[in-house]
Amino acid sequence: SGSRDEALRDKRARIVSRGLPKQKPIEGVKQVMVVASGKGGVGKSTTAVNIALALAANDSIKEVGLLDADIYGPSIPKMMNLKGNPELTPKNLMRPLKNYGIACMSMGFLVDETAPVVWRGLMVMSAVEKLLRQVDWGQLDYLVIDMPPGTGDVQLSVSQNIPIAGAVIVSTPQDVALLDARKGAEMFRKVHVPVLGLIQNMSVFQCPKCKHETHIFGSDGVRDLAKTLGLDVLGDVPLHVNIRETCDSGQPVVISQPQSNA
C-alpha cells in the first residue's frame, strides 16, 4: 500500500511538472528583482521607480532596466517622464525608452495614455509574454519589474517563466493592506521565489509647520508582519509630499532630491 501511494505521488508530480513552463532567462539580463504588493495604492510603483534609480546611483557602472508589468494601470511612463512608441530592431524586438540612465518598457508606450486596456486574461498574458521576451534590453545587471497588485495570472506567469533573484513586498502599516501583503509573500514562497524583505511605505506623516508626527495608516504593522514571516524590513518610507510630487512630475525623489531626508 505504501509503495503504491508513493508511485501515485511520483506520477502526480511528473504530470504537474509537465504542465509548468520551463524557466528561461531574459536575454542579456543578469538579475531580476520584482517589486510587488498584495493591494493597490500602497506606493509600489513609486518604490519600484526609486529602487531602480537608487541601484544605478549606487553603482554607476551597473546597467539597470525597469519593466512595468501592470498591463491595466501602467504608471512608469509618467513617473519616468517618458512618452512615445518603442523603435524596433532588425530582429523585430522593441527598444526600451530611456531616461535618467534607466531602460524602461511599459504597456503605456504601446497604447494611448487615456485609453483603457479592456482585455481578458489570455490577451493580458500574451502582452506580458511580449514585454518579457520581445524587448531588446541590451546588457543589464539588474531588471526591476513593477508587478501589478494582487496574486493573479500575471504574478504567476512572471514567477514561473523567468528566474527571479528576489521579490520585495511593499505595504502600508494598515491592517487591510497587511492582510494582502502577507498573501503576496506567501505566493512567492509557493512558487519558490526568494522574498528579500518588506518595505513599510507611508509609515508616518510629519506636519511641515509644527513637525508633529502622525501615523495615519498605523505604526509598525509591516515590522510586526516581517517578524511573523521571518523576513527583514528593507526600508521605512514616510508619507511625504515630495515623494508624491516628484514622481507625479516625472522627476523621482532619488534623482531630483538625492540629499533630502525623503
Side-chain angles (χ1 to χ4, degrees):
S1 176
S3 60
R4 191 182 300 118
D5 289 344
E6 189 173 340
L8 283 171
R9 280 196 297 270
D10 289 343
K11 184 178 180 181
R12 190 180 298 120
R14 287 196 301 272
I15 292 171
V16 169
S17 66
R18 284 204 303 268
L20 291 175
K22 296 290 185 282
Q23 284 190 338
K24 180 183 173 186
I26 299 173
E27 189 171 346
V29 177
K30 292 181 183 176
Q31 302 266 15
V32 174
M33 180 179 74
V34 297
V35 180
S37 68
K39 184 171 289 296
V42 297
K44 170 187 51 60
S45 295
T46 299
T47 304
V49 163
N50 281 299
I51 284 176
L53 290 167
L55 284 170
N58 285 339
D59 193 341
S60 59
I61 66 169
K62 299 292 187 185
E63 292 293 329
V64 180
L66 180 60
L67 172 59
D68 187 350
D70 194 342
I71 303 300
Y72 292 117
S75 49
I76 297 305
K78 182 174 180 63
M79 292 184 177
M80 290 296 288
N81 197 25
L82 287 167
K83 282 186 178 180
N85 301 116
E87 297 177 353
L88 294 178
T89 70
K91 293 184 178 180
N92 214 33
L93 298 176
M94 294 180 287
R95 283 199 177 100
L97 276 63
K98 205 163 187 176
N99 197 13
Y100 308 124
I102 307 295
C104 301
M105 181 52 63
S106 170
M107 194 67 196
F109 300 146
L110 307 176
V111 298
D112 187 84
E113 186 177 23
T114 59
V117 177
V118 188
W119 288 352
R120 291 187 184 275
L122 287 175
M123 294 177 71
V124 172
M125 301 313 294
S126 175
V128 170
E129 180 69 16
K130 285 180 171 60
L131 291 175
L132 288 175
R133 302 293 180 194
Q134 295 185 19
V135 176
D136 181 7
W137 290 106
Q139 296 298 314
L140 293 182
D141 295 283
Y142 305 110
L143 176 63
V144 178
I145 301 183
D146 177 25
M147 300 280 266
T151 55
D153 288 346
V154 173
Q155 289 83 351
L156 284 173
S157 180
V158 172
S159 301
Q160 292 176 344
N161 275 283
I162 61 174
I164 296 172
V168 173
I169 309 291
V170 181
S171 179
T172 63
Q174 186 179 3
D175 288 348
V176 173
L178 293 168
L179 287 171
D180 291 339
R182 179 168 190 159
K183 292 174 186 174
E186 296 292 357
M187 184 211 73
F188 284 118
R189 284 178 166 173
K190 282 189 175 182
V191 294
H192 309 296
V193 171
V195 179
L196 303 176
L198 308 180
I199 290 179
Q200 180 164 265
N201 196 23
M202 308 182 199
S203 59
V204 63
F205 172 74
Q206 185 182 68
C207 175
K209 293 184 178 179
C210 69
K211 305 303 179 185
H212 175 73
E213 293 188 346
T214 303
H215 295 276
I216 293 174
F217 295 107
S219 62
D220 292 331
V222 172
R223 293 186 183 280
D224 294 339
L225 177 60
K227 286 180 185 176
T228 301
L229 297 175
L231 296 171
D232 293 328
V233 176
L234 304 177
D236 200 328
V237 185
L239 179 62
H240 199 290
V241 67
N242 284 358
I243 299 174
R244 194 272 303 166
E245 285 181 344
T246 53
C247 260
D248 278 354
S249 65
Q251 298 175 316
V253 70
V254 166
I255 285 292
S256 58
Q257 302 175 19
Q259 304 305 320
S260 68
N261 290 333

